[in-house]
Amino acid sequence: MKHYKLQNGVLIPSIGFGTWQIADGEQTIQAVSKALEVGYRHIDTAAVYGNEKGVGKAINESKVKRNDIFVTTKLWNTDRGYQPAIEAFEKSLERLGLDYIDMYLLHWPCSHSQSIDWKAKNLQSWQALEHLYTKGLVRAIGVCNFLPTHLDALLPEATITPMVNQVEYHPGFTQKEVVDYCAAKDILIEAWSPLGRGNIMKNSLLEDMASKYHITVAQLTLAWILYNGHLPLPKSVTPAYIKSNFEVFDIKLDPSDIAILDNLEYFGSSELHPDKIDF
C-alpha cells in the first residue's frame, strides 16, 4: 500500500524520508529535494535534528504541491510541558516556513528515571498536542519511543489516543511487546533506524537473502517492514540510495523468508532505552 489510514481517517504515505543527522543547509535541501523528486511524499524531521529550515526550504521550493506532502516534526525533551510545547511548536512551524504541520510527535517519553512527575509531564505535553490538533494546526499527533508503561499512564487521561508511535524497529530488533500493544490500540508503528544504523547491511544472512531477489539489503528490509504493516523512515544523502530505498512496493517476499526476518536473534540496536536515556 502507498498509504496507511490513521485512526482519524488521515492518509499517511507508507514510506517516509528520514532526516536525522543530515546537516542543515545545502545537504538537507539537496537530500529532501531528491526524495521528493523520486516520489517520497512523507518527510520526517525534528526540532533537535537542527535541519527544519532546510527541510522547509526544500518543500517550499519543490514543484510538488504542499498538500501532497506529509510533514512530521517533533517536540524535544527540553520543551516538555503545556506552554513550552505550544511555544516549541510555533518555533518549528516558523523554521519550516509552513502554515501547518501534518503530524507532531512527542520525541521521547519522560520516564521515572528522569522525574518523579514523569506521568504529569507526559500528560501536559500531550495535552498541548491535543490543543494544536483541535485548532487545526496539525492533522495528526503521536508519540515516539513510548513503551506500554508510558502509554498505560497516558491513555486513561488523554482525550485523543496517539495515532502513531515511532520506535526503533528493524530485523534483529522488533520490539514485539510495543508492536502488539500498539496494534491493539490502533496506533500505527513507524520504524526509525529501519536499516539498523547500517548494521544490517553487513549481515551475511540478509545479504544472501537479498541476492536471491536481486535487490539490496536495504530494499529487503524496507519491503519486510511494509509487509508487517509498519511505516519505515529510511535516510540517506546519496541520490542513488534515496531512489532505490523508495523502489520497494513491488517486492514480493516468500513467507519463509519473512518468518526468518521476523525471528532473527537480537542485533543492531542503538541501545537507547526510553527509561534509561539521559537527554
Side-chain angles (χ1 to χ4, degrees):
M1 295 186 299
K2 294 293 181 75
H3 294 83
Y4 292 120
K5 183 181 286 188
L6 299 176
Q7 59 188 247
N8 66 343
V10 167
L11 295 179
I12 181 171
S14 56
I15 292 183
F17 182 71
T19 62
W20 181 59
Q21 290 188 324
I22 302 181
D24 198 24
E26 200 57 35
Q27 189 179 55
T28 289
I29 294 167
Q30 289 183 3
V32 173
S33 297
K34 181 63 179 180
L36 292 170
E37 176 190 320
V38 303
Y40 291 83
R41 293 296 179 264
H42 178 180
I43 309 298
D44 181 273
T45 184
V48 77
Y49 296 173
N51 58 18
E52 288 175 316
K53 286 185 178 180
V55 168
K57 186 173 176 61
I59 290 169
N60 285 313
E61 292 180 351
S62 172
K63 295 178 181 179
V64 181
K65 294 179 181 177
R66 167 65 185 97
N67 59 6
D68 289 334
I69 304 173
F70 194 99
V71 182
T72 296
T73 193
K74 310 177 191 80
L75 177 78
W76 186 236
N77 303 345
T78 52
D79 294 313
R80 292 182 180 126
Y82 186 85
Q83 193 57 37
I86 297 292
E87 293 172 2
F89 171 82
E90 292 171 349
K91 290 176 183 176
S92 283
L93 197 63
E94 182 179 358
R95 286 191 292 266
L96 285 161
L98 302 176
D99 296 326
Y100 68 95
I101 291 171
D102 294 275
M103 188 159 67
Y104 199 43
L105 307 176
L106 302 185
H107 207 149
W108 288 87
C110 186
S111 73
H112 59 80
S113 66
Q114 296 174 326
S115 172
I116 59 172
D117 297 324
W118 66 274
K119 294 180 182 180
K121 289 187 176 183
N122 285 334
L123 178 59
Q124 290 160 7
S125 300
W126 183 248
Q127 288 172 333
L129 269 61
E130 290 179 330
H131 170 78
L132 296 169
Y133 176 76
T134 56
K135 290 294 183 182
L137 294 169
V138 296
R139 301 174 61 221
I141 52 177
V143 298
C144 306
N145 306 299
F146 271 55
L147 302 177
T149 51
H150 308 125
L151 290 166
D152 277 339
L154 178 65
L155 293 184
E157 306 297 330
T159 301
I160 301 169
T161 299
M163 297 157 193
V164 158
N165 190 8
Q166 187 179 125
V167 300
E168 183 176 5
Y169 181 94
H170 52 76
F173 192 67
T174 56
Q175 301 212 65
K176 185 175 184 337
E177 182 184 5
V178 178
V179 168
D180 290 348
Y181 183 104
C182 289
K185 302 290 185 182
D186 195 21
I187 300 171
L188 177 68
I189 291 290
E190 288 190 330
W192 65 258
S193 195
L195 306 181
R197 299 188 177 192
N199 290 316
I200 67 166
M201 316 299 277
K202 309 163 190 173
N203 183 283
S204 59
L205 185 151
L206 297 183
E207 288 177 337
D208 291 343
M209 190 181 293
S211 66
K212 182 175 80 171
Y213 295 99
H214 306 289
I215 58 178
T216 67
V217 172
Q219 289 174 320
L220 172 74
T221 300
L222 297 172
W224 166 77
I225 293 172
L226 288 171
Y227 177 87
N228 282 335
H230 311 317
L231 193 160
L233 298 163
K235 164 252 173 178
S236 180
V237 296
T238 305
Y241 294 156
I242 292 172
K243 185 174 185 291
S244 65
N245 287 346
F246 191 71
E247 296 172 336
V248 297
F249 291 103
D250 295 327
I251 296 172
K252 307 297 183 185
L253 302 178
D254 293 340
S256 59
D257 288 332
I258 291 167
I260 290 171
L261 294 173
D262 286 345
N263 294 289
L264 283 180
E265 291 186 6
Y266 168 85
F267 82 99
S269 165
S270 68
E271 303 291 345
L272 293 174
H273 192 286
D275 283 333
K276 298 176 181 178
I277 60 167
D278 57 1
F279 47 81

